Amino acid sequence: MTSLTPALTDVDAPTLREWIDRHDDLIVLDVRSAAEFEGLHIKGSYNVPLPLLSEHADELAQRLDRHVVLVCQSGVRAGQARHRLNTAGLEKATVLTGGVPAFEAAGGDVVRGAQRWSLERQVRLAAGSLVLAGMLGGKLVSPKVSMLAGAIGAGLSFSAVTNTCAMGNVLARMPWNRTASEPTAQSAIQQLPSAG
């Protein structure tokens, strides 16, 4: 696992550390939100949030002529980004298993900024609070209010089956998850090294 090969679809954090040290033609693309990237990211990585990547995958695929490692918080969004880039013609994208936290835990060089709760933690808080409110409301207000807990459970099940998270997408747009400099399509694409 120490060579860069297009057939490799996942890479662990220690191997990525080696790659970063040994290969100049490697691009680490962080697909988390700008706020998450600002809080903690791999040194030298580029931020292209997943919604921007999805909308402009064709342009990005043309720009990315080097080997690309996609990173996020856990690997889920990076996997979605890989799929989108593959459909746009970029077949040499690899996903970091365990995301940025795994890279940091492996002693990788990271940059820390303003600290915020991760989107995953925010989703757990919001979902748990809504289920609790539904259960309490069902006991204290009306039994119909407990349907809220069922709706949240159904939404979480759907998220697991489809590997998406509507609640995470909504929370990512909240003011506390915004940075002063949200990337635009043009700025996200222009920050990448020129194709070859």
Side-chain angles (χ1 to χ4, degrees), residues 3-167:
S3 65
L4 293 173
T5 61
L8 190 61
T9 57
D10 295 309
V11 63
D12 61 20
T15 303
L16 178 57
R17 285 186 59 208
E18 289 178 30
W19 286 2
I20 289 171
D21 290 342
R22 294 184 182 177
H23 300 282
D24 293 334
D25 64 341
L26 179 68
I27 295 176
V28 178
L29 210 63
D30 192 320
V31 300
R32 298 173 303 152
S33 71
E36 290 173 289
F37 183 81
E38 180 182 79
L40 175 71
H41 63 271
I42 295 172
K43 186 175 181 179
S45 63
Y46 300 93
N47 183 224
V48 181
L50 183 59
L52 275 178
L53 183 141
S54 295
E55 284 181 41
H56 302 279
D58 294 329
E59 296 167 68
L60 285 163
Q62 291 173 0
R63 184 80 178 218
L64 298 170
D65 67 336
R66 302 169 183 200
H67 190 84
V68 176
V69 176
L70 300 163
V71 301
C72 64
Q73 189 67 20
S74 65
V76 173
R77 286 176 280 178
Q80 293 169 352
R82 176 180 52 209
H83 176 71
R84 184 63 186 99
L85 288 170
N86 283 346
T87 60
L90 180 69
E91 296 178 4
K92 52 186 173 184
T94 305
V95 171
L96 173 62
T97 56
V100 176
F103 186 80
E104 181 183 32
D109 197 3
V110 296
V111 177
R112 287 194 167 279
Q115 297 300 300
R116 295 179 174 87
W117 280 15
S118 72
L119 278 178
E120 293 166 1
R121 185 175 182 190
Q122 291 178 50
V123 167
R124 290 192 306 264
L125 175 66
S129 298
L130 289 170
V131 167
L132 182 60
M135 297 303 295
L136 288 175
K139 292 281 186 189
L140 303 174
V141 178
S142 167
K144 291 181 181 181
V145 177
S146 64
M147 292 183 353
L148 174 63
I152 296 300
L156 291 172
S157 297
F158 179 80
S159 291
V161 169
T162 61
N163 203 22
T164 62
C165 187
M167 188 179 292

